[in-house]
Structures are given as C-alpha cells and as structure tokens.
Amino acid sequence: MSEAPGFGFGYWPFATREGLARDLVESYDAGASIRELVTSRGICFGTTRKLLHEGGAVMRPRGDTRRPNRN
C-alpha cells in the first residue's frame, strides 16, 4: 500500500503550510466563509480554521453576517 503524498509533493499546490495559510487568509478576507474554503480546498473544518488562525486572519462572528436580516 502506498502512502499519500506529503505536503508540497503534489498533494497541495503549495510548497509550505504557510503558503496554504496565506492563500486561505486571502480568500477569507475577500469574503469566503470557512465552509466555502473547506469545500473548495478539500481540507477539514478544524484544519482550515487552525490555518486561518496561524495566518493571522481576523475571524468574523459565527453565522452568516453577509446576508441582510430576514425579518
């Protein structure tokens, strides 16, 4: 049985974890939700959130605050 390729060996298009974190932060700052990042990158929620924190993202409050009130 072969092992999954390691980080930076074709498994991710990023050579380093910092590169991936930087890309996630840029997308998050542009308005993408964590769930959207999870779906588009194929990374689990917890890892995505951890990478955002490592990358210095200013986290938005929980819930979809981008939509107008539905009253």
Side-chain angles (χ1 to χ4, degrees):
M1 177 167 33
S2 65
E3 292 184 34
F7 201 88
F9 296 98
Y11 190 68
W12 298 109
F14 306 97
T16 63
R17 181 178 178 94
E18 291 80 16
L20 175 58
R22 197 170 26 256
D23 177 67
L24 290 170
V25 170
E26 287 174 12
S27 296
Y28 185 77
D29 287 346
S33 69
I34 296 178
R35 296 265 179 226
E36 290 168 344
L37 295 173
V38 166
T39 302
S40 65
R41 304 307 195 285
I43 309 169
C44 73
F45 186 91
T47 300
T48 300
R49 191 169 185 281
K50 185 174 185 171
L51 286 167
L52 286 170
H53 280 283
E54 288 176 14
V58 176
M59 304 304 287
R60 297 187 294 262
R62 288 183 64 182
D64 194 351
T65 58
R66 296 174 294 157
R67 293 184 186 167
N69 289 335
R70 297 179 208 150
N71 296 332

